[in-house]
Amino acid sequence: MTEMVEERAPASLSQANRSRIMLTGGLAGALLGLAVAYVLLQRLEEQGGELQVSAGEGVRLGISALAILRQVADLAHPDEQD
């Protein structure tokens, strides 16, 4: 039995909407980055040490960041499931 798959035409966004989304995303990313840096600095000052990140921790952090990016990208396609 053959299933019919309905394809949607890509939604086009106005330039104003594109600019608004880029600005909102940029500001959210900057604020999140500042918050992470602040928390990290507070913990380092409390411990009185320097930042030491092992290769394994770096890899785990990178994988976590990619997972978050994938979740954000999936927001644009709520109907699709893995």
Side-chain angles (χ1 to χ4, degrees):
M1 186 154 140
T2 306
E3 291 183 31
M4 295 195 58
V5 177
E6 181 181 327
E7 292 187 30
R8 293 185 192 176
S12 61
L13 295 173
S14 69
Q15 187 60 37
N17 280 340
R18 293 177 69 86
S19 296
R20 183 177 51 94
I21 290 170
M22 291 293 290
L23 182 62
T24 302
L27 288 174
L31 290 175
L32 180 61
L34 285 172
V36 169
Y38 177 78
V39 169
L40 182 60
L41 286 172
Q42 291 297 319
R43 289 191 179 175
L44 288 174
E45 288 175 354
E46 288 173 3
Q47 296 172 356
E50 290 187 16
L51 178 62
Q52 296 177 354
V53 179
S54 70
E57 290 171 327
V59 169
R60 280 194 308 270
L61 183 59
I63 290 171
S64 296
L66 289 175
I68 291 171
L69 286 174
R70 182 175 178 191
Q71 289 178 349
V72 170
D74 287 346
L75 290 174
H77 304 286
D79 297 340
E80 294 179 12
Q81 296 193 9
D82 293 333

Coordinates of all heavy atoms in Angstrom, one line a residue:
M1 N 0.8 -1.2 0.0 CA 0.0 0.0 0.0 C 0.9 1.2 0.0 O 1.8 1.3 0.8 CB -0.9 0.0 1.2 CG -1.9 1.1 1.2 SD -3.2 0.4 2.2 CE -3.7 1.7 3.2
T2 N 0.6 2.1 -0.8 CA 1.4 3.3 -1.0 C 0.8 4.5 -0.2 O -0.4 4.7 -0.3 CB 1.5 3.8 -2.5 OG1 2.0 2.7 -3.2 CG2 2.4 4.9 -2.6
E3 N 1.6 5.1 0.6 CA 1.1 6.3 1.4 C 1.3 7.5 0.6 O 2.4 7.7 -0.1 CB 1.9 6.4 2.7 CG 1.6 5.3 3.7 CD 2.3 5.5 5.0 OE1 2.5 6.6 5.4 OE2 2.6 4.5 5.6
M4 N 0.4 8.4 0.6 CA 0.5 9.7 0.0 C 1.1 10.7 1.0 O 0.5 10.8 2.1 CB -0.8 10.2 -0.6 CG -1.3 9.3 -1.7 SD -2.7 10.1 -2.6 CE -1.9 11.5 -3.2
V5 N 2.1 11.3 0.7 CA 2.8 12.3 1.5 C 2.5 13.7 1.0 O 2.8 14.0 -0.2 CB 4.3 12.1 1.7 CG1 4.9 13.1 2.5 CG2 4.6 10.7 2.2
E6 N 1.9 14.5 1.8 CA 1.6 15.9 1.4 C 2.8 16.7 1.7 O 3.2 16.8 2.9 CB 0.4 16.4 2.1 CG 0.0 17.8 1.7 CD -1.3 18.2 2.5 OE1 -2.1 17.4 2.8 OE2 -1.3 19.4 2.7
E7 N 3.3 17.4 0.7 CA 4.5 18.3 0.9 C 4.0 19.7 1.0 O 3.1 20.1 0.2 CB 5.5 18.1 -0.2 CG 6.2 16.8 -0.1 CD 7.3 16.8 -1.2 OE1 7.9 17.8 -1.4 OE2 7.6 15.7 -1.7
R8 N 4.5 20.4 1.9 CA 4.1 21.8 2.1 C 5.2 22.7 1.3 O 6.3 22.4 1.3 CB 4.2 22.2 3.5 CG 3.1 21.6 4.4 CD 3.2 22.2 5.8 NE 2.4 21.4 6.7 CZ 2.3 21.6 8.0 NH1 3.0 22.6 8.5 NH2 1.6 20.9 8.7
A9 N 4.7 23.8 0.8 CA 5.6 24.7 0.2 C 6.3 25.5 1.3 O 5.7 25.7 2.4 CB 4.8 25.7 -0.7
P10 N 7.5 25.8 1.2 CA 8.2 26.5 2.2 C 7.6 27.9 2.5 O 7.2 28.6 1.6 CB 9.6 26.7 1.7 CG 9.6 26.3 0.3 CD 8.3 25.6 0.0
A11 N 7.4 28.2 3.8 CA 6.8 29.4 4.2 C 7.8 30.6 3.9 O 9.0 30.4 4.2 CB 6.4 29.4 5.6
S12 N 7.3 31.6 3.3 CA 8.2 32.7 3.1 C 7.9 33.8 4.2 O 6.8 34.0 4.6 CB 8.0 33.3 1.7 OG 6.7 33.8 1.6
L13 N 9.0 34.3 4.7 CA 8.9 35.3 5.8 C 9.2 36.7 5.2 O 10.1 36.8 4.3 CB 9.9 35.0 6.9 CG 9.7 33.7 7.7 CD1 10.9 33.5 8.6 CD2 8.4 33.8 8.4
S14 N 8.5 37.7 5.7 CA 8.9 39.0 5.3 C 10.2 39.4 5.8 O 10.7 38.9 6.8 CB 7.8 40.0 5.7 OG 7.8 40.1 7.1
Q15 N 10.8 40.4 5.2 CA 12.1 40.9 5.7 C 12.0 41.4 7.1 O 12.9 41.2 7.9 CB 12.6 42.0 4.8 CG 14.0 42.4 5.1 CD 15.0 41.3 4.9 OE1 14.9 40.5 4.1 NE2 16.0 41.3 5.8
A16 N 10.9 42.0 7.5 CA 10.7 42.5 8.8 C 10.7 41.4 9.8 O 11.3 41.5 10.9 CB 9.4 43.3 8.9
N17 N 10.0 40.3 9.5 CA 9.9 39.1 10.4 C 11.3 38.5 10.5 O 11.7 38.1 11.6 CB 8.9 38.1 9.9 CG 7.5 38.5 10.3 OD1 7.3 39.2 11.2 ND2 6.6 37.9 9.6
R18 N 12.0 38.4 9.4 CA 13.4 37.8 9.4 C 14.3 38.6 10.3 O 15.0 38.1 11.1 CB 14.0 37.7 8.0 CG 13.3 36.7 7.1 CD 13.8 36.8 5.7 NE 15.2 36.2 5.7 CZ 15.4 34.9 5.5 NH1 14.4 34.0 5.4 NH2 16.7 34.5 5.5
S19 N 14.2 39.9 10.2 CA 15.0 40.8 11.0 C 14.7 40.7 12.5 O 15.6 40.7 13.3 CB 14.9 42.3 10.6 OG 15.3 42.4 9.2
R20 N 13.4 40.6 12.8 CA 12.9 40.5 14.1 C 13.4 39.2 14.8 O 13.9 39.2 15.9 CB 11.4 40.6 14.2 CG 10.8 40.6 15.6 CD 9.3 40.7 15.6 NE 8.7 39.8 14.7 CZ 8.2 38.6 15.0 NH1 8.2 38.2 16.3 NH2 7.6 37.9 14.1
I21 N 13.3 38.1 14.0 CA 13.8 36.8 14.5 C 15.3 36.8 14.8 O 15.8 36.3 15.8 CB 13.4 35.7 13.5 CG1 11.8 35.5 13.6 CG2 14.1 34.4 13.9 CD1 11.3 34.6 12.5
M22 N 16.0 37.4 13.8 CA 17.5 37.4 14.0 C 17.9 38.3 15.2 O 18.8 37.9 16.0 CB 18.1 38.0 12.7 CG 18.0 37.1 11.5 SD 19.0 35.6 11.7 CE 20.6 36.2 11.6
L23 N 17.2 39.4 15.4 CA 17.5 40.3 16.5 C 17.2 39.6 17.8 O 18.0 39.6 18.8 CB 16.8 41.6 16.3 CG 17.0 42.7 17.4 CD1 18.5 43.1 17.4 CD2 16.2 43.9 17.2
T24 N 16.0 39.0 17.9 CA 15.6 38.3 19.1 C 16.5 37.2 19.4 O 16.9 37.0 20.6 CB 14.1 37.8 18.9 OG1 13.3 38.9 18.6 CG2 13.7 37.1 20.2
G25 N 16.9 36.4 18.4 CA 17.8 35.3 18.7 C 19.2 35.7 19.1 O 19.8 35.2 20.0
G26 N 19.7 36.8 18.5 CA 21.0 37.3 18.8 C 21.0 37.9 20.3 O 21.9 37.6 21.0
L27 N 19.9 38.6 20.6 CA 19.9 39.1 22.0 C 19.7 38.0 23.0 O 20.4 38.1 24.1 CB 18.7 40.1 22.1 CG 18.9 41.5 21.4 CD1 17.6 42.3 21.5 CD2 20.0 42.2 22.0
A28 N 18.9 37.0 22.7 CA 18.8 35.9 23.6 C 20.1 35.1 23.8 O 20.5 34.8 24.9 CB 17.7 35.0 23.1
G29 N 20.8 34.9 22.7 CA 22.1 34.3 22.8 C 23.1 35.1 23.6 O 23.9 34.5 24.4
A30 N 23.1 36.4 23.4 CA 24.1 37.2 24.1 C 23.7 37.2 25.6 O 24.7 37.1 26.4 CB 24.0 38.6 23.6
L31 N 22.5 37.3 25.9 CA 22.1 37.3 27.4 C 22.4 35.9 28.0 O 22.9 35.9 29.1 CB 20.6 37.6 27.5 CG 20.2 39.1 27.2 CD1 18.7 39.2 27.3 CD2 20.9 40.0 28.2
L32 N 22.2 34.9 27.3 CA 22.5 33.5 27.8 C 24.0 33.4 28.0 O 24.4 32.9 29.0 CB 21.9 32.5 26.9 CG 22.2 31.0 27.3 CD1 21.5 30.7 28.7 CD2 21.7 30.1 26.3
G33 N 24.8 33.9 27.0 CA 26.2 33.8 27.1 C 26.7 34.6 28.3 O 27.6 34.2 29.1
L34 N 26.2 35.8 28.5 CA 26.6 36.6 29.7 C 26.2 35.9 31.0 O 27.0 35.9 32.0 CB 25.9 38.0 29.6 CG 26.5 38.9 28.6 CD1 25.6 40.2 28.5 CD2 27.9 39.3 29.0
A35 N 25.0 35.3 31.1 CA 24.6 34.6 32.3 C 25.6 33.4 32.6 O 26.0 33.2 33.7 CB 23.2 34.1 32.2
V36 N 25.9 32.7 31.6 CA 26.8 31.5 31.8 C 28.2 32.0 32.2 O 28.8 31.5 33.2 CB 27.0 30.7 30.4 CG1 28.1 29.7 30.5 CG2 25.6 30.0 30.1
A37 N 28.7 33.1 31.6 CA 30.0 33.6 32.0 C 30.0 34.1 33.5 O 30.9 33.9 34.2 CB 30.4 34.8 31.1
Y38 N 28.9 34.8 33.8 CA 28.7 35.3 35.2 C 28.8 34.2 36.2 O 29.5 34.2 37.2 CB 27.4 36.1 35.3 CG 27.2 36.6 36.7 CD1 27.9 37.7 37.2 CD2 26.3 36.0 37.6 CE1 27.7 38.2 38.5 CE2 26.1 36.4 38.8 CZ 26.8 37.5 39.3 OH 26.5 38.0 40.6
V39 N 28.0 33.1 36.0 CA 27.9 32.0 36.9 C 29.3 31.3 37.0 O 29.8 31.0 38.1 CB 26.8 31.0 36.5 CG1 26.9 29.7 37.2 CG2 25.5 31.6 36.6
L40 N 29.9 31.2 35.8 CA 31.3 30.5 35.8 C 32.3 31.4 36.6 O 33.0 30.8 37.4 CB 31.7 30.4 34.4 CG 33.1 29.7 34.1 CD1 33.1 28.3 34.7 CD2 33.4 29.7 32.7
L41 N 32.3 32.7 36.4 CA 33.2 33.5 37.2 C 32.9 33.5 38.7 O 33.8 33.5 39.5 CB 33.1 35.0 36.6 CG 33.7 35.2 35.3 CD1 33.4 36.6 34.8 CD2 35.2 35.0 35.4
Q42 N 31.6 33.5 39.0 CA 31.3 33.4 40.5 C 31.8 32.1 41.1 O 32.4 32.2 42.2 CB 29.8 33.5 40.7 CG 29.2 34.8 40.3 CD 29.7 35.9 41.2 OE1 29.8 35.7 42.4 NE2 30.0 37.1 40.7
R43 N 31.7 31.0 40.4 CA 32.2 29.7 41.0 C 33.7 29.7 41.0 O 34.3 29.2 42.0 CB 31.7 28.6 40.1 CG 30.2 28.4 40.3 CD 29.7 27.1 39.8 NE 28.3 26.9 40.0 CZ 27.5 26.0 39.6 NH1 28.1 25.0 38.8 NH2 26.3 25.9 39.9
L44 N 34.4 30.3 40.0 CA 35.8 30.3 40.0 C 36.3 31.2 41.1 O 37.3 30.9 41.8 CB 36.4 30.8 38.7 CG 36.2 29.8 37.5 CD1 36.7 30.5 36.2 CD2 37.1 28.6 37.8
E45 N 35.7 32.3 41.4 CA 36.1 33.2 42.5 C 35.9 32.6 43.8 O 36.7 32.7 44.7 CB 35.3 34.5 42.4 CG 35.8 35.4 41.2 CD 35.0 36.7 41.1 OE1 34.0 36.8 41.8 OE2 35.4 37.5 40.2
E46 N 34.8 31.8 44.0 CA 34.5 31.1 45.2 C 35.6 30.0 45.5 O 36.0 29.9 46.6 CB 33.1 30.5 45.2 CG 32.0 31.4 45.3 CD 30.6 30.8 45.1 OE1 30.6 29.5 45.0 OE2 29.6 31.5 45.1
Q47 N 36.0 29.4 44.4 CA 37.0 28.3 44.6 C 38.4 28.8 44.6 O 39.3 28.1 45.0 CB 36.8 27.2 43.5 CG 35.4 26.6 43.5 CD 35.2 25.7 42.3 OE1 36.0 25.6 41.4 NE2 34.1 25.0 42.3
G48 N 38.6 30.0 44.1 CA 39.9 30.6 44.1 C 40.9 29.9 43.1 O 42.1 29.9 43.3
G49 N 40.3 29.4 42.0 CA 41.2 28.7 41.1 C 41.0 29.2 39.7 O 40.4 30.2 39.4
E50 N 41.7 28.5 38.7 CA 41.6 28.8 37.3 C 40.7 27.8 36.7 O 40.5 26.7 37.1 CB 43.0 28.8 36.7 CG 43.8 29.9 37.1 CD 45.2 29.9 36.4 OE1 45.2 29.3 35.3 OE2 46.1 30.6 36.8
L51 N 40.2 28.2 35.5 CA 39.3 27.3 34.7 C 40.1 26.2 34.2 O 41.1 26.4 33.5 CB 38.6 28.1 33.6 CG 37.7 27.3 32.7 CD1 36.5 26.7 33.5 CD2 37.1 28.2 31.6
Q52 N 39.7 25.0 34.5 CA 40.4 23.8 33.9 C 39.3 22.9 33.3 O 38.5 22.4 34.0 CB 41.2 23.0 35.0 CG 42.3 23.9 35.6 CD 43.0 23.1 36.7 OE1 42.6 22.0 37.1 NE2 44.1 23.7 37.2
V53 N 39.4 22.8 32.0 CA 38.4 21.9 31.3 C 39.1 20.8 30.6 O 40.1 21.0 29.8 CB 37.6 22.8 30.2 CG1 36.6 21.9 29.5 CG2 36.9 23.9 30.9
S54 N 38.8 19.6 30.9 CA 39.4 18.4 30.3 C 38.9 18.2 28.9 O 37.8 18.8 28.5 CB 39.2 17.2 31.1 OG 37.8 16.8 31.0
A55 N 39.6 17.4 28.1 CA 39.1 17.1 26.7 C 37.7 16.5 26.8 O 36.8 16.8 26.0 CB 40.1 16.2 26.0
G56 N 37.5 15.6 27.7 CA 36.2 14.9 27.8 C 35.1 15.9 28.2 O 34.0 15.8 27.6
E57 N 35.4 16.8 29.1 CA 34.3 17.8 29.4 C 34.0 18.7 28.2 O 32.9 19.1 28.0 CB 34.8 18.6 30.6 CG 34.9 17.9 31.9 CD 35.5 18.7 33.0 OE1 36.5 19.5 32.7 OE2 35.1 18.5 34.2
G58 N 35.1 19.0 27.5 CA 34.9 19.9 26.3 C 34.0 19.2 25.2 O 33.1 19.8 24.6
V59 N 34.3 17.9 25.0 CA 33.5 17.1 24.1 C 32.0 17.0 24.6 O 31.1 17.2 23.8 CB 34.1 15.7 23.9 CG1 33.1 14.8 23.1 CG2 35.4 15.8 23.2
R60 N 31.8 16.8 25.8 CA 30.4 16.7 26.4 C 29.7 18.0 26.2 O 28.5 18.1 25.9 CB 30.5 16.2 27.8 CG 30.6 14.7 28.0 CD 30.3 14.3 29.4 NE 31.0 15.0 30.5 CZ 32.2 14.7 31.0 NH1 32.8 13.7 30.5 NH2 32.7 15.4 31.9
L61 N 30.4 19.1 26.5 CA 29.8 20.4 26.3 C 29.4 20.7 24.9 O 28.4 21.2 24.6 CB 30.8 21.5 26.9 CG 30.3 22.9 26.9 CD1 29.0 23.1 27.7 CD2 31.3 23.8 27.4
G62 N 30.3 20.3 24.0 CA 30.1 20.5 22.5 C 28.9 19.7 22.1 O 28.0 20.2 21.3
I63 N 28.8 18.5 22.5 CA 27.6 17.6 22.1 C 26.3 18.2 22.7 O 25.3 18.2 22.0 CB 27.9 16.2 22.6 CG1 29.0 15.6 21.8 CG2 26.6 15.4 22.5 CD1 29.5 14.2 22.3
S64 N 26.4 18.7 23.9 CA 25.2 19.3 24.5 C 24.8 20.5 23.8 O 23.6 20.7 23.5 CB 25.5 19.7 26.0 OG 25.8 18.5 26.8
A65 N 25.7 21.3 23.3 CA 25.4 22.5 22.6 C 24.7 22.2 21.2 O 23.8 22.8 20.8 CB 26.7 23.4 22.3
L66 N 25.3 21.1 20.6 CA 24.7 20.7 19.3 C 23.3 20.1 19.5 O 22.4 20.3 18.7 CB 25.6 19.6 18.7 CG 26.9 20.1 18.1 CD1 27.7 19.0 17.6 CD2 26.6 21.1 17.0
A67 N 23.0 19.4 20.6 CA 21.7 18.9 20.9 C 20.7 20.1 21.1 O 19.6 20.0 20.6 CB 21.7 18.0 22.2
I68 N 21.1 21.1 21.8 CA 20.3 22.3 22.0 C 20.0 23.0 20.6 O 18.8 23.3 20.4 CB 20.9 23.3 23.0 CG1 20.9 22.7 24.4 CG2 20.2 24.6 22.9 CD1 21.7 23.5 25.4
L69 N 21.0 23.1 19.8 CA 20.8 23.7 18.5 C 19.8 22.8 17.7 O 18.9 23.4 16.9 CB 22.1 23.8 17.7 CG 23.0 24.9 18.2 CD1 24.3 24.8 17.4 CD2 22.4 26.3 18.0
R70 N 19.9 21.5 17.8 CA 18.9 20.7 17.0 C 17.5 20.9 17.5 O 16.5 20.9 16.8 CB 19.3 19.2 17.2 CG 18.4 18.3 16.4 CD 18.9 16.9 16.4 NE 17.9 16.1 15.7 CZ 17.9 14.8 15.7 NH1 18.8 14.1 16.4 NH2 17.0 14.1 15.0
Q71 N 17.4 21.0 18.9 CA 16.0 21.2 19.4 C 15.4 22.5 18.9 O 14.2 22.6 18.6 CB 16.1 21.1 20.9 CG 16.3 19.7 21.5 CD 16.4 19.7 23.0 OE1 16.5 20.8 23.6 NE2 16.4 18.5 23.5
V72 N 16.3 23.5 18.9 CA 15.8 24.8 18.4 C 15.4 24.7 16.9 O 14.4 25.3 16.5 CB 16.8 25.9 18.6 CG1 16.5 27.2 17.9 CG2 17.0 26.2 20.1
A73 N 16.2 24.1 16.1 CA 15.9 23.9 14.7 C 14.6 23.1 14.5 O 13.9 23.4 13.6 CB 17.1 23.2 14.0
D74 N 14.4 22.2 15.4 CA 13.1 21.4 15.3 C 11.9 22.2 15.6 O 10.8 21.7 15.3 CB 13.2 20.1 16.2 CG 14.1 19.1 15.7 OD1 14.5 19.1 14.5 OD2 14.5 18.2 16.5
L75 N 12.0 23.3 16.2 CA 10.9 24.2 16.5 C 10.2 24.6 15.2 O 9.0 24.9 15.2 CB 11.3 25.4 17.3 CG 11.7 25.2 18.8 CD1 12.2 26.5 19.4 CD2 10.5 24.6 19.6
A76 N 11.0 24.7 14.1 CA 10.4 25.2 12.9 C 9.6 24.1 12.2 O 8.9 24.3 11.2 CB 11.6 25.6 11.9
H77 N 9.8 22.8 12.6 CA 9.0 21.7 12.0 C 8.4 20.9 13.1 O 8.8 19.7 13.4 CB 10.0 20.8 11.3 CG 10.8 21.5 10.2 ND1 10.2 22.0 9.0 CD2 12.1 22.0 10.2 CE1 11.1 22.6 8.3 NE2 12.2 22.6 9.0
P78 N 7.3 21.4 13.7 CA 6.7 20.7 14.9 C 6.0 19.4 14.4 O 5.8 18.5 15.2 CB 5.7 21.7 15.4 CG 5.4 22.6 14.3 CD 6.7 22.7 13.5
D79 N 5.6 19.2 13.2 CA 4.9 18.1 12.7 C 5.8 16.9 12.5 O 5.3 15.7 12.5 CB 4.2 18.4 11.4 CG 3.1 19.5 11.6 OD1 2.7 19.7 12.7 OD2 2.7 20.1 10.5
E80 N 7.1 17.1 12.2 CA 8.0 16.0 12.0 C 8.4 15.4 13.3 O 8.6 16.0 14.3 CB 9.2 16.5 11.2 CG 8.9 17.0 9.9 CD 10.1 17.5 9.2 OE1 11.2 17.3 9.6 OE2 10.0 18.2 8.1
Q81 N 8.5 14.0 13.3 CA 9.0 13.3 14.5 C 10.1 12.4 14.0 O 10.1 11.9 12.9 CB 7.9 12.6 15.1 CG 6.8 13.5 15.7 CD 5.8 12.8 16.6 OE1 6.1 11.6 16.9 NE2 4.8 13.4 17.0
D82 N 11.0 12.1 15.0 CA 12.1 11.2 14.7 C 11.7 9.7 14.7 O 10.8 9.3 15.2 CB 13.3 11.3 15.7 CG 13.9 12.7 15.5 OD1 13.9 13.2 14.4 OD2 14.5 13.2 16.5

